[in-house]
């Protein structure tokens, strides 16, 4: 047992830290968010640094899965993304690409383009209302040559930028996942405005997908959902870290009553609370990402992490914003983005209450 | 003790509701949020309508053009009005803070503003906070120096709500740096059209520029625009801030609970035990505010300063706002994360959720309120402070 | 509208304050709680001062109901009881006596004895498990001359001291309330140890009650439950008040790091929180007691008050205890009793969660 | 990173469980809580049994009679043991605090106590807090004056856990009042049978006298009983307190979640959505502690001081305790308010609920932990203090 990062993991983390620190500056993030919410330059830089292919097979230009790069490593990267609130669809896209690598090995060419940064793949997971991604609202019916998918999905990450989208659909009594080209006839995309200003789109679909692009293995949707959720938890961890760092700097430097704000316990204890919550969250996120790579059933661990990520990150970003006073809501100050991101991801693929409900069902019934 | 609504007030409430139904738009049919300039114009027009129909200044003395009725009646009207789209929000500084301050401390000439405020002709802003003086408001550094019949003001203010639209401002400036910080402050009325005033809007994460930075360069204020005595600004500020706190929760919170219940029904979740707990909590919180408001109005009617009640109301309102918008976002699920024209309910819950910071900070942070309550309610000794008795100019800056 | 107490109400409050301050000293409370948990001397003093009959008809030695003394006044008294954590069964007994006065007017002699302090009446309301007092566990069957009651009830206030107990029972499809003599054959009483050391007993019953002592009006149980609950809320208000006062005194006088504890915001803000919560609670308790006397349906107001009383008082007493450090749990320091009382009443006749559940059902369904 | 349990540790855990099943009583069959003296005797007997069967001092160096294995193994054993009735609770000071302190700072002669502690022959208590020195421990006023080969100690201590049963104590006393408060403190071993020591039990609201007041009158301590250097007691205290914090949550919290789930099933409420949320919250909290413990053991294995991890564990454990016992009381409803022999589950939830204060205060209050975390984790400046550089004797008392 060793909870410390391996040397290779530390290299990944350092590399990601450097790229996001260099490229996702507050000014750049502001400009990108005002203009579509997807940072194409940053995306290409991530591709050039090899980070998009890190968790994919060598055959498609990725690092061999055999070397053990997986969700732990992806989470180290998305944590840094969250810390700098960088608008790129990393979590969704890398998890989707891994799903294709696993279940549609014939799509090697697409994956090669993905690894090179030329093709963005996303997945349509969010469901309105009770947030259950395992009961897709899109239905599939058997037709000549494949399945006809009909329905719509709100809030798909980077849909306007994506060349492909994985679409879960209900087919008879089972769920399938279809690989859909966003440029295909019958695929309609509408860009959405979101709380954190990342690119998202509303997908409306009525098209036929050939059988070769349909995954019928139920494990595919499981992997998509749980792994995306874990990668989101890591984003939230980073968001919380960034918020706490900004708050600590603010309260250490801003003076009132002739002393730094941090000399008032009402302030310092709230900042310390944020730090404690963030460290607790780090613990569960690392554990959940490890279980995704190595465990038998990552559900309980992922839900525990997702609960802390939702509930804890909201508390942390709210506290950090509050400690900034009026500055905390000012779009000229970066801390407001930590707030918006914390809130956005706290309601993506479920929220604190739905995570608890699912976890409660798992553990109460043994 | 008698907390039944008197037959006269029941009748007053019914009359208010009847008039509002005929002249205002129910809140549930809310249209897309207006751009800020239109929002301000609408509020001023609405105040004009209220005045024209005799619903303005309900609790203002008749001498100032009001109806001279109880503050309870004014709050009954506000409660009814809170269920409609129309709002006087942008006039909070003018109606809720400047008016009570001028009534108590203004010269007859200054009190002439009251009629204009009542008519909806004047929008006011508050020039109190500075980049270096927020919770520690008395540390403010904006200087005013006497030059003949005029004070010449230089400095910078921040969080000036709607400063870009206001005709007048209430301004705190330091007129004597040689005395301790609370003692050298003077309270001014300033004309926002003075060429020395530059207002720079700050965009908040709601997408609106509600707040501004205000730069004052050789702004000249006639001596007759001093409110109260020179150097006595801190005491007058207290009147303004207490008025602010009581006005924050003035309309009650019943509308927000009704909205939440409506949302739960609409999402088909009114029978979900978890949702029901959230609804019941919201109702309980709103009940505290409703009844606390009765206590507050009783204090005013019996000529007591409703200091504690106003502080508790303000804190309770902030907590209610945070918790209720949080419940709404939870009910909306993933949809709640859509913004702008993509947001459900015309973005109203979304905007309310993002605006929570303003409720927590307005009228002093929650922490400041709690400090005051500790002193006022429990007689706890003040925190040791090193700067209360030192001339302001000698404090480290 | 006038939220201030009337002159008469102020007199009642002052009288109660004086009696409890004089007689329910920490030393006396300690001794009584170590010996059965009922202060007979204090009970007699309350009777002698006229406080037991305050809300009863003049015909039985009480103050005329017409004068308007009711639940508001009872709550002013039980608030003072809670402030001094005085072990007497005021809430239950006075509400039970008012119920008898309303529904069994023939029992005037019993009421006269009650007013004089000679006879204690209690009511068996608490139900184990989900805490629903409207589904009594005792069943009644029709027999010659009356009803035969069979069953048991845990946690009846002052059962060992009471001469009479009102027992709700299920009879066919309705609830009835029976007036039972505790000395009757078939009535078995077992004293219980409780968290706050007030006298409580377990009632086991198998006896026949004559028809004249059976209340069939469903309003009786309603009144018993809702009024007792409101009187308990007032006890909790007093408990919270007492806790906050003790905490304020402690933190103002105890010094650490050469200043009073209250000079640390982590301390002063928590004490202030307690004060704020207590004042919010006062507001809802006064309102609920008023609605019991004057409103059409006191349920929603009572449940809102009961929620704050449970949740709020627990927070307040926990905070007050915490601010006392180790002293807070020491039986030589009075603050531990505020803690024990706060916890006891937070789970009596429901708890925060069950109050919310009932209130939620009322308001969500309109 | 590798958080899988190694095959060797899996085997170790299985062996521990097998041995415990054969030699201990599962926690769910708990009998009525023992009187305190029997509880102490049982713990000492259990330590003796562990020692006899080779399960004591798992992570202690072999030189001190231990097994010289990893601290992770010790915590695996504690996790397994937490599911049984047997507890080493009363030996926390001896095993968890005195032993690590003496290993790090004791003289060879002082370290002879280690063998006796391992055998369960010695119960120790901690004489740190005073009526005037709690969170501000360094303000302690108990004086020790050198008289030949002995220190003569006078003063009063409080919250001495199990002081009425202990043979030895670790004592902080002021040996030099002329230097600032942190610098004049010395750390002693004291024989609790010294005639100058009077221990007066304090009864807590649990009904037990876990804590005591201790009066020291001309207590004579040989100079060889000074731990570390004279005047260096504050630094050594830190070793003791960090050890205390890591030992508080040492056995994990899994047993409490299992107990809560069991209780929910028993009350027929495992399907209630509200209850399920509470169970899931408890599980999530306990998971944080389980994994945090892996981080803590990794730090120890890699020779880093697990300061932050221990602080967070301690805070998390306190919050878990409060919240979990609260959920249990809520599940028990009115029955939860019965005490003593009338309480359900042999009073175990009731006692745990009432004991929450001890978890919150032990090893420093939550607030103290948060202050340290603010400094340690965020580099926040310390609160201004007026007394760090003034000789202790000159401080206002």
């Amino acid at each position: 047992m060793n909870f410390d990062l391996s040397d290779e993991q530390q290299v990944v983390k350092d590399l990601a830290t450097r790229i996001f620190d260099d490229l996702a500056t507050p000014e750049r993030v502001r400009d990108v968010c005002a203009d579509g919410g997807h940072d194409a330059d940053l995306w290409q830089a991530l591709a050039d640094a090899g980070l998009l292919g890190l968790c994919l097979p060598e055959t498609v230009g990725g690092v061999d899965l055999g070397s053990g790069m997986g969700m732990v490593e992806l989470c180290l990267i998305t944590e840094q993304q969250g810390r700098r609130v960088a608008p790129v669809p990393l979590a969704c896209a890398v998890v989707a690409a891994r799903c294709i690598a696993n279940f549609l090995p014939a799509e090697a060419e697409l994956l090669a383009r993905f690894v090179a940064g030329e093709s963005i793949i996303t997945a349509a997971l969010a469901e309105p209302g009770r947030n259950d991604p395992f009961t897709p609202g899109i239905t599939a019916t058997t037709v000549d040559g494949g399945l006809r998918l009909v329905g719509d999905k709100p809030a798909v990450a980077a849909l306007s930028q994506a060349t492909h989208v994985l679409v879960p659909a209900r087919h008879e009594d089972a769920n399938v996942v279809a690989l859909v080209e966003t440029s295909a006839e019958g695929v309609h995309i509408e860009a959405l405005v979101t709380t954190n200003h990342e690119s998202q789109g509303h997908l409306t679909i009525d098209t036929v997908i050939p059988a070769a692009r349909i995954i019928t293995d139920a494990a595919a949707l499981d992997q998509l959902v749980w792994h995306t959720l874990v990668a989101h938890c890591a984003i939230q961890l980073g968001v919380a870290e960034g918020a706490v760092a900004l708050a600590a700097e603010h309260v250490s430097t801003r003076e009132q009553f002739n002393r730094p704000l941090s000399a008032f316990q009402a302030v310092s204890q709230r900042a310390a609370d944020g730090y404690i919550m963030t460290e607790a969250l780090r613990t569960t996120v690392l554990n959940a990402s490890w279980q995704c790579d190595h465990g038998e059933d990552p559900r309980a661990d992922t839900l525990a992490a997702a609960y802390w990520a939702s509930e804890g990150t909201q508390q942390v970003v709210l506290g950090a914003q509050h400690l900034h006073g009026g500055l905390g809501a000012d779009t000229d100050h970066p801390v407001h983005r930590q707030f918006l991101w914390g809130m956005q991801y706290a309601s993506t693929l479920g929220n604190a209450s739905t995570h608890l409900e699912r976890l409660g069902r798992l553990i109460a019934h043994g | 003790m008698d907390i039944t609504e008197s037959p006269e007030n029941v009748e007053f409430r019914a009359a208010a509701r009847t008039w509002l139904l005929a002249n205002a738009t129910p809140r549930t049919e809310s249209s897309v949020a207006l751009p800020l300039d239109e929002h301000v114009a609408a509020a001023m027009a609405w105040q004009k309508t209220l005045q024209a129909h005799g619903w303005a200044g309900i609790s203002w003395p008749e001498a100032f053009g009001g109806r001279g009725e109880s503050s309870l009646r004014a709050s009954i009207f506000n409660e009814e009005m809170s269920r409609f789209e129309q709002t006087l929000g942008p006039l909070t500084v003018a109606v809720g803070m400047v008016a009570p301050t001028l009534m108590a401390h203004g010269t007859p000439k200054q009190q002439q503003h009251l009629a204009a405020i009542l008519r909806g002709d004047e929008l006011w802003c508050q020039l109190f906070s500075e980049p270096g003086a927020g919770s520690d408001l008395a540390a403010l550094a904006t200087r005013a120096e006497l030059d003949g019949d005029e004070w010449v003001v230089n400095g910078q203010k921040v969080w000036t709500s709607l400063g870009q639209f206001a005709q007048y401002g209430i301004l705190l400036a330091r007129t004597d740096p040689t005395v301790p910080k609370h003692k050298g402050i003077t309270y001014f009325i300033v004309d926002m059209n003075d060429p020395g005033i530059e207002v720079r809007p700050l965009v908040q994460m709601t997408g609106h520029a509600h707040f501004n930075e205000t730069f004052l360069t050789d702004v000249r204020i006639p001596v007759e625009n001093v409110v109260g005595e020179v150097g006595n600004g801190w005491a007058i500020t207290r009147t303004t801030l207490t008025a602010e706190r009581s006005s924050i929760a003035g309309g009650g919170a019943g509308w927000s609970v009704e909205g939440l219940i409506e949302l739960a029904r609409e999402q088909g979740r009114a029978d979900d035990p978890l949702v029901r707990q959230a609804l019941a909590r919201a109702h309980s919180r709103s009940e505290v505010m409703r009844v606390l408001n009765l206590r507050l109005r009783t204090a005013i009617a019996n000529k007591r300063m409703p200091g504690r009640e106003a502080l508790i109301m303000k804190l309770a309102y902030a907590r209610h706002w945070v918790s209720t918008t949080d419940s709404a976002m939870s009910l909306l699920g993933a949809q709640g994360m859509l913004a702008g024209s993509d947001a459900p309910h015309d973005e109203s819950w979304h905007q309310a959720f993002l605006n929570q910071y303003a409720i927590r900070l307005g009228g002093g942070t929650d922490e400041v309120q709690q400090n005051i309550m500790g002193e006022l309610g429990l007689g706890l000794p003040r925190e040791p402070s090193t700067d209360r008795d030192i001339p302001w100019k000698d404090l480290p800056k």
Side-chain angles (χ1 to χ4, degrees), chain B residues 13 27 74-83 245-258 282 285-294 297 313 316-318 320-321 359:
Chain B
R13 189 186 286 277
R27 195 162 182 137
S75 100
I76 289 174
F77 188 79
N78 287 337
E79 250 173 61
E80 292 302 317
M81 192 169 71
S82 72
R83 294 189 163 79
R245 282 177 204 129
S246 355
S247 72
I248 283 179
W255 61 271
S256 60
V257 180
E258 289 161 24
R285 285 190 306 263
S286 137
E287 275 295 290
V288 166
M289 284 181 275
R290 186 182 66 77
V291 188
L292 205 51
N293 187 45
L294 298 179
R297 302 303 152 189
M313 284 269 274
Y317 196 64
H320 175 68
W321 191 289
I359 320 292

Side-chain angles (χ1 to χ4, degrees), chain B residues 124-164:
Chain B
W124 287 63
C125 65
Q126 186 204 53
L127 300 159
F128 284 9
S129 295
E130 299 183 3
S135 289
D136 184 13
L137 182 57
L140 57 89
T142 293
R143 274 289 273 130
E145 287 169 294
L146 195 59
D147 177 24
D149 274 357
E150 292 178 324
W151 290 90
V152 181
V153 181
N154 283 284
Q156 184 191 343
K157 296 289 177 176
V158 75
W159 317 128
T160 322
S161 299
L162 304 178
Q164 69 270 56

Side-chain angles (χ1 to χ4, degrees), chain A residues 130-131 192-195 254 256-259 314 318 321-322 325-327 329-331 336 339-340 343-344 351, chain B residues 131-132 134-136 159 203-205 272 330 337-339 342 350 353 356-357 360-361 367 384 387 395-396:
Chain A
R130 295 247 19 186
N131 276 329
L192 295 173
V193 184
T194 59
T195 293
R254 176 163 168 83
Q256 292 279 277
F257 304 99
N258 283 319
R259 16 175 175 150
Q314 282 193 86
L318 198 69
Q321 189 203 42
H322 185 70
L327 273 185
D330 184 352
T331 51
H336 85 280
F339 179 86
L340 295 177
M343 295 302 161
Q344 177 88 35
N351 55 33
Chain B
S135 289
D136 184 13
W159 317 128
V203 179
Q204 284 80 60
M205 62 182 181
D272 180 325
S330 175
M337 288 301 104
L338 299 179
D342 293 319
H350 192 265
F353 177 75
Q356 54 176 277
Y357 77 93
R360 279 202 315 267
L361 300 176
E367 289 75 16
D387 59 358
L395 292 175

Side-chain angles (χ1 to χ4, degrees), chain A residues 97-243:
Chain A
R98 282 165 54 88
C99 181
I100 293 170
N102 280 339
F103 297 99
L104 293 175
E107 298 291 340
E109 200 190 311
L110 167 60
L111 290 178
R113 285 207 309 278
F114 171 77
V115 169
E118 293 157 13
S119 195
I120 292 178
I121 312 169
T122 184
L125 300 177
E127 290 291 333
R130 295 247 19 186
N131 276 329
D132 181 5
F134 295 105
T135 53
I138 291 180
T139 52
T141 45
T142 308
V143 295
D144 255 8
L147 294 181
R148 180 178 169 201
L149 268 61
V150 178
D152 74 322
K153 279 276 196 174
V156 182
L159 188 59
S160 306
Q161 288 77 28
T163 56
H164 295 74
V165 52
L166 287 177
V167 180
R170 193 76 187 158
H171 181 239
E172 289 158 11
D173 290 341
N175 291 330
V176 298
V177 176
L179 176 60
V180 177
E181 286 183 69
T182 53
S183 58
E185 210 173 322
V187 175
H188 180 70
I189 288 167
E190 188 194 349
L192 295 173
V193 184
T194 59
T195 293
N196 74 341
H197 305 292
E198 273 192 295
S199 167
Q200 286 206 8
H202 187 122
L203 174 73
T204 312
I205 192 169
D206 182 350
T207 192
V208 174
I209 308 296
R213 289 195 154 180
I214 302 285
I215 310 172
T216 53
D217 189 335
L221 184 55
D222 268 350
Q223 187 186 314
L224 272 178
V225 170
W226 297 111
H227 288 195
T228 306
L229 192 52
V230 169
H232 284 177
C233 291
I235 291 179
Q236 287 169 284
L237 168 61
V239 167
E241 258 181 272

